[in-house]
């Protein structure tokens, strides 16, 4: 176990709805990254938060937004859900400095989102 | 375009046998390369991480190699076990960036 937890485990939504996914980082980690993993594909980077500020973003539209709290836990919000948003959403926590990407990222078990 | 390509896409081997998985990347400038193991429906677990100056790193029965000149890496699994059945993902990060670029993974099935 990595110490990174995510909730909920599974979620079913319909098109147009909004969803919030949650991630608790490993103790001592100040950085959280979010990834989308479609079936049979590798994870795609959504964005990263370092000490409550966004620290990099992948090629995802603005309806994907995030937040990091003072305890370094994080949320991923997706508005106006589309069928293609169906995927496993992974968060990963790490410790380090802004812009540094040599730290090991510890992944949570993921949230399986299904959009009908 | 930064890309990570893995081969083979899938592999079936008998328990106790060795295997080697390949990873080619075009990420530049290169910072580090990681191998992750992902069980079905679970998050990836880090196996190794190598920077430019490292050309081999071991973690138990897993040995990763890196050739930064040819931009190739391999993951060698020795004396495979049934529990090695999983997807193995090669991940590369560029310098001065936060994004990790994932390959699609190699699905390994170990049978008895």
């Amino acid at each position: 176990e990595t110490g990174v937890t995510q909730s909920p485990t599974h979620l079913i939504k319909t098109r147009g709805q909004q969803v919030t996914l949650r991630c608790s980082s490993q103790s001592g980690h100040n950085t959280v990254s979010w990834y989308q993993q479609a079936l049979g594909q590798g994870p795609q980077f959504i964005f990263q938060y370092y000490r409550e500020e966004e620290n990099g973003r992948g090629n995802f539209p603005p309806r994907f937004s995030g937040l990091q709290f003072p305890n370094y836990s994080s949320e991923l919000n997706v508005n106006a859900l589309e069928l293609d948003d169906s995927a496993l959403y992974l968060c990963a926590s790490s410790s380090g400095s802004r812009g540094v990407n040599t730290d090991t990222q510890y992944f949570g078990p993921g949230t399986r989102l299904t959009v009908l | 375009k930064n890309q990570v390509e893995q081969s083979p896409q899938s592999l079936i081997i008998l328990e106790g046998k060795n295997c080697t998985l390949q990873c080619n990347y075009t990420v530049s400038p290169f910072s580090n390369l990681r191998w992750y193991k992902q069980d079905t429906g679970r998050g990836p677990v880090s196996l190794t991480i190598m920077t430019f100056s490292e050309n081999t790193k071991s973690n138990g029965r897993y040995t990763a190699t890196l050739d930064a000149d040819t931009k190739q890496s391999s993951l060698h699994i020795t004396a495979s076990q049934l529990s090695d059945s999983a997807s193995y993902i090669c991940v590369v990060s560029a310098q001065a960036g936060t994004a990790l670029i994932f390959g699609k993974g190699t699905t390994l099935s170990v049978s008895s």
Side-chain angles (χ1 to χ4, degrees):
Chain A
E1 297 298 325
T2 63
V4 179
T5 60
Q6 291 186 244
S7 62
T9 305
H10 297 88
L11 199 55
I12 299 175
K13 292 284 188 178
T14 57
R15 276 185 303 173
Q17 284 189 310
Q18 179 267 342
V19 69
T20 297
L21 310 182
R22 294 178 175 82
C23 171
S24 292
S25 58
Q26 188 173 103
S27 178
H29 286 181
N30 54 23
T31 303
V32 173
S33 304
W34 284 93
Y35 298 87
Q36 180 194 67
Q37 186 175 22
L39 199 61
Q41 303 292 316
Q44 298 289 316
F45 174 70
I46 303 175
F47 45 58
Q48 182 185 86
Y49 278 84
Y50 169 75
R51 292 185 180 274
E52 303 180 59
E53 292 186 4
E54 189 176 289
N55 185 39
R57 188 180 181 92
N59 189 27
F60 280 80
R63 59 190 185 84
F64 285 78
S65 62
L67 196 59
Q68 188 178 31
F69 299 99
N71 65 357
Y72 301 134
S73 65
S74 177
E75 286 183 354
L76 165 65
N77 298 292
V78 187
N79 294 323
L81 283 168
E82 301 176 359
L83 296 179
D84 286 347
D85 296 334
S86 295
L88 180 69
Y89 287 84
L90 297 163
C91 80
S93 77
S94 57
S95 59
S97 304
R98 177 178 293 280
V100 174
N101 60 10
T102 56
D103 308 299
T104 297
Q105 293 195 358
Y106 296 87
F107 284 83
T111 292
R112 173 71 63 188
L113 172 65
T114 301
V115 182
L116 302 176
Chain B
K1 182 180 178 182
N2 290 329
Q3 285 186 315
V4 176
E5 301 286 342
Q6 292 187 245
S7 63
Q9 184 176 354
S10 62
L11 186 61
I12 301 174
I13 62 173
L14 291 175
E15 188 178 12
K17 297 296 185 182
N18 304 335
C19 67
T20 300
L21 314 179
Q22 300 292 340
C23 172
N24 297 330
Y25 62 92
T26 58
V27 178
S28 183
F30 171 84
S31 175
N32 60 76
L33 184 145
R34 314 159 192 233
W35 283 94
Y36 281 87
K37 176 186 178 186
Q38 185 175 23
D39 292 315
T40 302
R42 307 292 296 274
V45 175
S46 178
L47 295 175
T48 63
I49 177 170
M50 290 182 290
T51 59
F52 183 88
S53 60
E54 298 173 292
N55 55 26
T56 187
K57 184 163 280 188
S58 292
N59 178 0
R61 295 180 296 103
Y62 301 101
T63 299
T65 64
L66 172 65
D67 186 334
D69 292 331
T70 61
K71 298 186 178 179
Q72 296 179 327
S73 176
S74 65
L75 180 69
H76 186 74
I77 304 174
T78 304
S80 61
Q81 300 176 357
L82 297 178
S83 59
D84 292 333
S85 295
S87 178
Y88 291 85
I89 306 175
C90 174
V91 186
V92 181
S93 62
Q95 290 180 3
T98 55
L100 299 182
I101 302 157
F102 287 73
K104 293 183 178 181
T106 292
T107 300
L108 174 66
S109 298
V110 180
S111 60
S112 57

